[in-house]
Amino acid sequence: WEINKTTNRSEFEKIGETSSSPALGRLRINGSASDPYVAIIGSGFDPYDIKNLSKTAYLTVVDLKDGSIIKQIEVSSKLGNITTNLALLRDKAGYLEKIYFGDYYGCLWRINLSTTTEVNDFLGKTILAEEDMLFKPSDYASSDMLLGPEPERPISAPPILGMAEEETIWAYFGTGSYDDYDPGYPYQKFYGLKDVLTTPYQDGGLIDMTNSSNTNLDQDSWHITLGTNDNRDYDQEIGQASVKDRNERVLTTPEVYGGFVFFTTWTPNDDPCGGGVTRFYSVGYKSGGYEGGLIKGVEDAGTEKTDVRSIIPSDPSAKSSVPSKPMIYVGQSESGEPVAKGLVNLGTGELTEIELDPSKFAEILNILLWREIK
């Protein structure tokens, strides 16, 4: 089956030029064998005119068996809006429990689908409500893509989900879009949010972990303002703390691993020929706090630094291209020694490696490897 402007013209217009990877799973409509396997798809720009900003965003629920559209639900009344990929939680039977996604107006949405009541409430909606928001930006009501002002902190990349020991879901995401350098660009942010509220978070209710010396002992939801100078944010090539720029932004999904959240940022150059600078961050996943000694291999005047929160890799490509999401490797070297690395593709076809301290993962992971020989 296929959904296109011929088979489903009106529905196709609502989906638009989507780049949203769908949430795939079973939908608990009545808790029986007839419950369908579905794809829930976010939406993109007007499919016939991407410059037309009068289109709003939609979620489309598609029956995977035959491509029939079960429901289309408007995300909000915000014009010119688009959604990110959908992050999801499924149970062991394949049923969708929650979906999370961001939009261009900077809102992070969270839809509960774990019970038949929640699913039928969701399918009964024509438009999502504030109760479906996990985070609502302060300019959400005033921003307008058609008339202005544009949203200050759009979400371009989907969130990633993590789970704390108490089985609390955390959502991690950053803000920013792939635009040219702007001397007045709004400062962007990175967020770590506990999914424990029925009303949306706003910036004023979050712990500010922008300064690497700040603490969050209660491990409440937090944020980091990007583009601000901190003496633990280094440039590996020059071997010292680097001057940052308000144009720093997040364009890729973070990674959660071993008790930490890792993310990359990109700062475009103030240059008509383009290019920019990549930075790799690592912070505690529940506190947003700096972890001493996690990033290794950075020297200042011949002395190894142990107080690094983020790093611009020494690879020259780090100063030209948009990075991939971070990937984390923990294993052994050829000689059998423990090794840990952060890996980032800088668009050159090669992976840039950031050295990490493997001992930071040992207690949290505590994995026992074994082999069964027949």
Side-chain angles (χ1 to χ4, degrees), residues 76-202:
S76 74
S77 59
K78 307 299 287 185
L79 300 178
N81 201 7
I82 60 175
T83 70
T84 68
N85 292 350
L86 276 65
L88 62 94
L89 290 175
R90 283 190 297 252
D91 68 11
K92 293 180 180 179
Y95 280 99
L96 292 170
E97 293 192 319
K98 290 186 178 183
I99 57 173
Y100 301 76
F101 63 94
D103 70 17
Y104 200 81
Y105 279 84
C107 182
L108 188 76
W109 299 87
R110 176 268 335 270
I111 314 296
N112 292 312
L113 299 169
S114 59
T115 67
T116 56
T117 299
E118 290 172 335
V119 169
N120 286 291
D121 284 348
F122 170 65
L123 295 178
K125 293 183 176 183
T126 56
I127 188 170
L128 298 182
E130 188 165 291
E131 66 190 33
D132 300 309
M133 297 178 180
L134 184 60
F135 176 78
K136 182 180 180 181
S138 58
D139 69 332
Y140 192 76
S142 60
S143 56
D144 190 309
M145 286 288 291
L146 190 61
L147 302 176
E150 291 192 9
E152 289 189 349
R153 298 190 182 98
I155 303 174
S156 301
I160 194 168
L161 308 178
M163 182 177 288
E165 295 91 338
E166 61 274 16
E167 297 188 355
T168 300
I169 302 301
W170 285 76
Y172 305 94
F173 65 99
T175 67
S177 60
Y178 185 70
D179 296 319
D180 294 332
Y181 184 92
D182 179 356
Y185 196 67
Y187 285 97
Q188 301 301 304
K189 294 193 176 187
F190 186 85
Y191 295 91
L193 304 180
K194 282 183 182 181
D195 186 0
V196 295
L197 298 184
T198 55
T199 56
Y201 287 101
Q202 292 191 286

Side-chain angles (χ1 to χ4, degrees), residues 329-340 369:
Y329 170 77
V330 176
Q332 292 182 337
S333 67
E334 293 181 357
S335 61
E337 295 297 319
V339 64
L369 302 177

Side-chain angles (χ1 to χ4, degrees), residues 51-67:
K51 294 181 180 180
N52 175 19
L53 297 179
S54 62
K55 180 186 176 300
T56 59
Y58 280 83
L59 293 180
T60 299
V61 185
V62 182
D63 191 324
L64 289 175
K65 180 176 64 176
D66 56 14

Side-chain angles (χ1 to χ4, degrees), residues 64 73 197 209 261 280 341:
L64 289 175
I73 302 168
L197 298 184
M209 297 302 292
V261 58
F280 174 94
K341 294 182 182 296

Side-chain angles (χ1 to χ4, degrees), residues 157-349:
I160 194 168
L161 308 178
M163 182 177 288
E165 295 91 338
E166 61 274 16
E167 297 188 355
T168 300
I169 302 301
W170 285 76
Y172 305 94
F173 65 99
T175 67
S177 60
Y178 185 70
D179 296 319
D180 294 332
Y181 184 92
D182 179 356
Y185 196 67
Y187 285 97
Q188 301 301 304
K189 294 193 176 187
F190 186 85
Y191 295 91
L193 304 180
K194 282 183 182 181
D195 186 0
V196 295
L197 298 184
T198 55
T199 56
Y201 287 101
Q202 292 191 286
D203 282 313
L206 304 176
I207 303 298
D208 187 350
M209 297 302 292
T210 302
N211 189 313
S212 65
S213 297
N214 291 354
T215 59
N216 181 8
L217 299 180
D218 293 332
Q219 299 178 336
D220 293 324
S221 296
W222 50 270
H223 71 91
I224 294 172
T225 301
L226 305 175
T228 57
N229 293 328
D230 189 281
N231 59 6
R232 290 187 171 122
D233 294 328
Y234 274 78
D235 185 332
Q236 194 166 3
E237 184 177 0
I238 63 176
Q240 62 186 36
S242 51
V243 177
K244 298 167 76 174
D245 189 286
R246 65 187 298 154
N247 278 265
E248 186 180 16
R249 60 199 73 180
V250 176
L251 301 178
T252 55
T253 304
E255 183 62 277
V256 181
Y257 189 85
F260 305 102
V261 58
F262 303 88
F263 62 98
T264 56
T265 66
W266 189 68
T267 306
N269 293 328
D270 183 10
D271 185 338
C273 294
V277 177
T278 290
R279 183 177 290 276
F280 174 94
Y281 281 83
S282 62
V283 294
Y285 80 124
K286 290 192 291 185
S287 68
Y290 149 76
E291 175 71 18
L294 178 56
I295 295 180
K296 300 181 64 179
V298 182
E299 292 189 354
D300 185 357
T303 302
E304 183 173 359
K305 303 296 293 183
T306 59
D307 58 347
V308 180
R309 178 179 68 172
S310 73
I311 187 72
I312 298 174
S314 58
D315 187 331
S317 301
K319 299 188 176 181
S320 63
S321 53
V322 176
S324 70
K325 67 170 289 184
M327 297 158 279
I328 307 301
Y329 170 77
V330 176
Q332 292 182 337
S333 67
E334 293 181 357
S335 61
E337 295 297 319
V339 64
K341 294 182 182 296
L343 306 173
V344 181
N345 190 318
L346 298 171
T348 62

